[in-house]
Amino acid sequence: MKISDVVAFVGHQVHVCRYREAGTLLDWMGADLRGKRVLDVAGGDGYWAGQAGRRGAEAVSIDLARKKMVYGRTLAHAPALVECDALRLPFRDGSFDAILSVCAIEHFEDGGRSLDEMARVLKPGGEIFMSADVLSRADAWPKLRDAHKAKYHVQHTYTHGSLSALMDERGLELVRHSYQFRTAAAERLYLSLSAYGGKVGFNAAAPLTPLVAMADRKAPNERGSIVLIQARKRS
């Protein structure tokens, strides 16, 4: 295994939330993706698209961060990497069977327009697997909220209800949703790590992942820091 693969593994999987977040979306997508074309929107170095590729998909990842994409080309399971704007996808209508988007829509100034493009390039009956920032209790900790939004350039936050409404307008119907960091303690941990811990803090907190997951299972699936969505394009 190359050093770049080790670094990517640590950055994406040894992490208090990213593996559970993206891993759940991939599990919803399915273990056997042979014959499927999968697009990862704002996929950075393409790591998670590469994991879809390992399941047999013809995987494509798009982003504007050239440095990340150059790095992504060194990974053992690199997908096709395309430098482009998520609001103007250079693909034909109905080009993909599935779309993956891990905590990206909150960074777009116009989330609706990004969904327009995702819906356009998705085949009828195809599915979107997406996560987004919710920060349902963020107003209780305004300094943490503001530091998180400034650090990660968060333009908007969403709930499963607001995303479902946006998707419905674009011919997409909600299949299921799941919140992560559902309890107040877990949400404060998430905001504290994101505001002040950075990647090192998130990775150092990785041993807490089972505890957060256990707390999530016991809490109502109504709010949290992150929401995961599966939606299907109407035929």
Side-chain angles (χ1 to χ4, degrees):
M1 182 180 290
K2 296 183 293 185
I3 292 296
S4 57
D5 290 298
V6 173
V7 172
F9 179 89
V10 171
H12 290 284
Q13 298 211 30
V14 183
H15 194 284
V16 74
C17 69
R18 195 64 73 216
Y19 174 73
R20 191 161 67 101
E21 177 185 357
T24 298
L25 293 174
L26 280 173
D27 286 346
W28 287 358
M29 195 180 293
D32 186 355
L33 299 176
R34 287 175 294 181
K36 300 277 184 77
R37 291 196 78 210
V38 175
L39 174 66
D40 188 357
V41 174
D45 61 15
Y47 179 85
W48 292 111
Q51 299 310 298
R54 293 185 70 182
R55 298 181 182 201
E58 180 187 343
V60 180
S61 179
I62 69 101
D63 208 291
L64 283 173
R66 181 174 298 180
K67 186 176 180 180
K68 289 183 179 180
M69 298 179 78
V70 168
Y71 176 79
R73 291 191 179 97
T74 70
L75 301 180
H77 301 286
L81 291 153
V82 179
E83 184 179 350
C84 68
D85 190 342
L87 305 186
R88 290 184 292 274
L89 295 174
F91 306 111
R92 292 178 295 181
D93 296 0
S95 298
F96 294 93
D97 300 285
I99 292 176
L100 176 67
S101 182
V102 182
C103 265
I105 191 172
E106 65 265 27
H107 306 297
F108 302 141
E109 186 175 343
D110 190 343
R113 186 173 172 188
S114 72
L115 284 173
D116 285 337
E117 284 293 274
M118 290 186 217
R120 180 183 66 78
V121 302
L122 189 64
K123 293 179 180 178
E127 294 183 319
I128 290 178
F129 302 86
M130 170 186 290
S131 61
D133 263 8
V134 184
L135 311 181
S136 61
R137 300 179 179 87
D139 290 346
W141 311 293
K143 289 184 179 180
L144 292 178
R145 175 201 63 205
D146 294 346
H148 170 85
K149 287 188 172 183
K151 186 173 183 178
Y152 293 102
H153 310 289
V154 174
Q155 304 287 326
H156 306 282
T157 56
Y158 299 90
T159 65
H160 76 282
S162 62
L163 279 174
S164 179
L166 285 171
M167 289 180 168
D168 185 63
E169 293 170 358
R170 292 156 176 84
L172 302 162
E173 57 186 4
L174 183 69
V175 174
R176 58 178 155 179
H177 75 276
S178 180
Y179 284 93
Q180 295 188 348
F181 295 87
R182 296 177 187 176
T183 67
E187 190 157 5
R188 185 165 189 173
L189 170 68
Y190 174 82
L191 280 172
S192 298
L193 288 171
S194 66
Y196 302 120
K199 184 175 288 188
V200 172
F202 272 121
N203 290 340
L208 298 176
T209 301
L211 297 177
V212 174
M214 184 183 300
D216 281 355
R217 286 193 293 270
K218 294 180 179 180
N221 188 27
E222 298 171 351
R223 60 180 178 174
S225 294
I226 299 168
V227 66
L228 281 58
I229 295 286
Q230 179 182 352
R232 183 176 296 120
K233 185 174 180 178
R234 298 186 186 99
S235 298

